[in-house]
Amino acid sequence: MGALKELFLDANALNGTLPEAWGSMSALSGLSVGSNALTGTFPEAWSTMGALKSLSLGSNALTGTLPGAWSAMRTMSSLRLDFTSFHSPSSIKLTGTLPEAWGAMDALETLLLTSNAFTGTLPKAWSAMDALLWLSIESNALTGTLPEAWSTMGALKSLALSSNALNGTLPEAYRNMGALQSLYLTYNALTGTIPKTWSKMVALKYLGLYTNALTGTLPEAWSSMSALQSMWLDSNALTGTLPEAWSTLDILTTLSLRYNALTGTHPEAWSNMGVLNWLLLGSNELTGTLPEAWGNMDALSYLALGSNSGLFGSVPAGITPADGTNTSCYGTSITGCSHSK
């Protein structure tokens, strides 16, 4: 089958191992055998598939490590090895470290390694993957810091590293990732402050930093991130006040700042966030009353204010339960809420 160019065998209840002999299929450009019950490891011999551009092996029961020899697959543009234990016991996952040598795969645009058991650190050498658009290594057991060298991955649109054990600080240099549209770093052990200079990430639409150990204040400079649609910063140790300047984030639909130590009052100017749908401010140390102008936030469907004992007054007309806004105010002295206990 030396002339075969594409082979798609997804969802056929296939079992057994990946054949070493397929490494001789030198014309193959697309191979997909996802959603089967395949077992065993990845054949190093497949590194000779010199024409292969797309390889999908996800949702099987594959084990073992990522072969460093696959770095020779220089034409590869899409590699999906995510959810390899989808139909198998949770103990069946890919293991080992991420190969530094894969940095040579400079045609790679999509690399999905989600929901395995990879350990070790994020390879600095992967910064040479300058065509990479989508990188997801969520739900593994990775440690160490975010490589500053990755800031040169100028084409990257989506970076997902949630649910690992990453530590260290958020690299200032990531401000140079000008094409980045989504960044998910939730459920790690990241520390330090939120970089003001990330305000230069003007293409960013979705940002998830919740459940880390971040400190410091909310950067006013982020008001220039005009593409932001969803921002989750809850469950950290953030302090300071709610930046009035964020009122310019006029396409933001979701803002979650719960479970921090934020203080001060609610900025009246936030009433300009005309499409804000979810605003979650519970479990902080906010004080005062809700600005009457917030009644103009017509798109607001959920407002969470609970466990801010210094809040009082009433819910402004326009965002009451009668107006269709679900308002949670337990642990406050605010009246007119949907939920107050």
Side-chain angles (χ1 to χ4, degrees):
M1 301 173 70
L4 188 66
K5 291 185 177 180
E6 293 184 333
L7 180 59
F8 301 103
L9 299 170
D10 302 88
N12 277 294
L14 299 174
N15 54 40
T17 60
L18 301 174
E20 289 262 353
W22 284 14
S24 63
M25 300 168 76
S26 57
L28 197 67
S29 63
L31 174 60
S32 184
V33 290
S35 300
N36 284 291
L38 298 170
T39 57
T41 59
F42 299 125
E44 287 202 16
W46 283 20
S47 61
T48 59
M49 291 179 171
L52 197 61
K53 294 181 178 179
S54 177
L55 176 60
S56 178
L57 301 172
S59 300
N60 279 288
L62 299 166
T63 56
T65 61
L66 301 176
W70 280 19
S71 61
M73 303 164 86
R74 299 291 295 275
T75 59
M76 184 76 71
S77 63
S78 177
L79 180 55
R80 295 198 54 163
L81 305 176
D82 50 333
F83 300 103
T84 55
S85 62
F86 191 74
H87 297 294
S88 311
S90 59
S91 60
I92 300 180
K93 294 176 181 284
L94 301 178
T95 57
T97 58
L98 305 176
E100 287 270 351
W102 280 24
M105 302 171 76
D106 52 8
L108 204 58
E109 295 180 356
T110 300
L111 178 56
L112 305 181
L113 302 171
T114 302
S115 297
N116 284 291
F118 294 121
T119 56
T121 59
L122 299 170
K124 293 179 183 178
W126 284 19
S127 61
M129 295 178 175
D130 50 14
L132 200 61
L133 301 175
W134 314 98
L135 176 58
S136 179
I137 325 177
E138 293 185 307
S139 300
N140 281 280
L142 298 170
T143 56
T145 61
L146 299 171
E148 190 164 325
W150 283 19
S151 63
T152 61
M153 301 165 85
L156 197 63
K157 291 184 177 181
S158 178
L159 177 59
L161 300 172
S162 297
S163 299
N164 281 286
L166 301 173
N167 55 47
T169 59
L170 302 175
E172 290 265 356
Y174 280 18
R175 67 184 181 273
N176 298 320
M177 303 171 85
L180 202 62
Q181 296 179 10
S182 60
L183 176 60
Y184 298 108
L185 301 173
T186 64
Y187 290 106
N188 281 291
L190 299 169
T191 57
T193 59
I194 298 174
K196 296 178 183 179
T197 54
W198 280 20
S199 60
K200 295 183 178 180
M201 301 165 78
V202 293
L204 198 64
K205 296 179 180 180
Y206 310 104
L207 176 62
L209 297 175
Y210 61 84
T211 315
N212 280 286
L214 299 171
T215 56
T217 60
L218 302 174
E220 287 213 13
W222 281 21
S223 60
S224 64
M225 300 168 77
S226 58
L228 270 176
Q229 297 179 29
S230 178
M231 178 160 52
W232 298 80
L233 304 177
D234 35 318
S235 299
N236 283 287
L238 300 173
T239 56
T241 59
L242 304 177
E244 186 167 341
W246 284 16
S247 61
T248 60
L249 300 174
D250 54 5
I251 64 170
L252 193 67
T253 61
T254 302
L255 176 58
S256 183
L257 301 170
R258 296 178 298 178
Y259 304 108
N260 282 291
L262 299 170
T263 56
T265 59
H266 299 80
E268 183 173 341
W270 280 22
S271 61
N272 295 324
M273 294 178 172
V275 298
L276 195 62
N277 187 250
W278 275 33
L279 179 56
L280 313 180
L281 301 172
S283 299
N284 280 288
E285 300 170 19
L286 299 170
T287 55
T289 62
L290 296 179
E292 286 298 320
W294 280 26
N296 299 322
M297 301 169 78
D298 296 335
L300 199 62
S301 67
Y302 185 37
L303 175 61
L305 302 167
S307 295
N308 283 287
S309 59
L311 295 180
F312 59 94
S314 59
V315 175
I319 57 170
T320 67
D323 299 306
T325 304
N326 184 356
T327 310
S328 176
C329 305
Y330 63 89
T332 74
S333 297
I334 297 177
T335 60
C337 303
S338 308
H339 309 284
S340 56
K341 293 184 180 180

